[in-house]
Amino acid sequence: MLTKALLICCLVALAQGYSFTSKEVKCHVCKAVVTELEEAIAKEDANKKVDVSGFRLDAQGNSISKRVLLIKSEMFLTELMEKICDKMDDYLKATYKSNNKFTLLKMIVNGKMNPESSLVDFVQDGDLNKSLGHFCNEILEEHEEAFLNAFQAQEVGSDLDIKICSEHAKYCDEAPVQEEYDFDGKEEL
């Protein structure tokens, strides 16, 4: 009887250890999408330009077009976003052994097994992590404009995940790192 009660307590503790909300999962999926987009864009020639033409004509009947960087073109970014959710198959849900905090772990990094694999316990998922792809599609559908604007900006900052996933989509709670305030040589109170 005592062993049954102990076993039930252990199972309940394990189940509670792996509890996380869909908002947490969406936060990590959103961050993974940003990372995957940044990596895919980094593989492209940053100086390559493409003609972007509309269906407008000038007064002489010539098509009006302009050249923009490929990595900033809406067509390129849209096509990239359409394919990026396939990359979610490379991720698994996990919790860190040290603090039981939820994470998404990319299994293969730079052609090798992710070194963080030994730091986590993988979460057994009934849907074999297919929900990650679903969340990815949902995030991109709902926030496509935010992704486009962020990646088309003149200066793409290093904290795109915070700008998109925290500030715009409100999936994550992180805030951008604040620059230290200079008190003009005055002592802090």
Side-chain angles (χ1 to χ4, degrees):
M1 184 69 164
L2 181 62
T3 56
K4 244 186 209 182
L6 186 59
L7 180 62
I8 290 173
C9 286
C10 288
L11 290 174
V12 169
L14 281 174
Q16 287 175 346
Y18 292 130
S19 65
F20 39 87
T21 65
S22 66
K23 182 181 175 187
E24 284 178 285
V25 178
K26 283 183 181 181
C27 171
H28 287 277
V29 170
C30 185
K31 288 178 175 185
V33 169
V34 171
T35 301
E36 291 293 340
L37 287 170
E38 287 173 329
E39 289 174 3
I41 290 169
K43 291 177 184 174
E44 293 295 325
D45 179 2
N47 299 314
K48 185 176 181 179
K49 292 191 174 198
V50 292
D51 284 321
V52 179
S53 61
F55 295 102
R56 297 185 301 161
L57 303 175
D58 63 12
Q60 289 76 34
N62 299 319
S63 177
I64 300 173
S65 67
K66 65 180 181 176
R67 292 181 62 74
V68 297
L69 292 173
L70 173 69
I71 61 173
K72 300 286 184 182
S73 75
E74 186 172 340
M75 179 188 70
F76 170 76
L77 291 170
T78 303
E79 286 178 5
L80 200 55
M81 286 190 291
E82 287 175 1
K83 297 181 225 168
I84 212 73
C85 291
D86 293 341
K87 299 271 187 181
M88 292 302 112
D89 291 343
D90 300 341
Y91 289 82
L92 291 175
K93 295 175 189 170
T95 57
Y96 283 103
K97 292 176 182 178
S98 61
N99 59 11
N100 239 14
K101 209 171 177 187
F102 176 77
T103 189
L104 276 187
L105 195 70
K106 188 171 184 177
M107 292 307 304
I108 306 296
V109 177
N110 298 326
K112 297 178 183 170
M113 187 72 163
N114 190 330
E116 286 195 29
S117 298
S118 62
L119 304 176
V120 299
D121 290 321
F122 292 102
V123 176
Q124 296 298 319
D125 197 347
D127 70 355
L128 301 174
N129 289 312
K130 297 296 179 199
S131 62
L132 300 179
H134 170 73
F135 282 135
C136 175
N137 286 320
E138 184 180 318
I139 289 165
L140 287 173
E141 217 172 272
E142 291 177 13
H143 305 287
E144 179 180 11
E145 205 62 37
F147 278 91
L148 286 173
N149 291 337
F151 283 99
Q152 286 179 318
Q154 285 291 81
E155 286 294 317
V156 177
S158 60
D159 58 352
L160 276 185
D161 59 333
I162 294 172
K163 287 179 182 162
I164 296 171
C165 304
S166 296
E167 294 175 1
H168 178 79
K170 309 266 190 262
Y171 295 131
C172 308
D173 296 327
E174 289 103 340
V177 175
Q178 297 289 323
E179 296 294 321
E180 260 192 59
Y181 182 75
D182 183 15
F183 287 98
D184 297 325
K186 297 177 184 164
E187 298 263 337
E188 289 186 44
L189 298 176

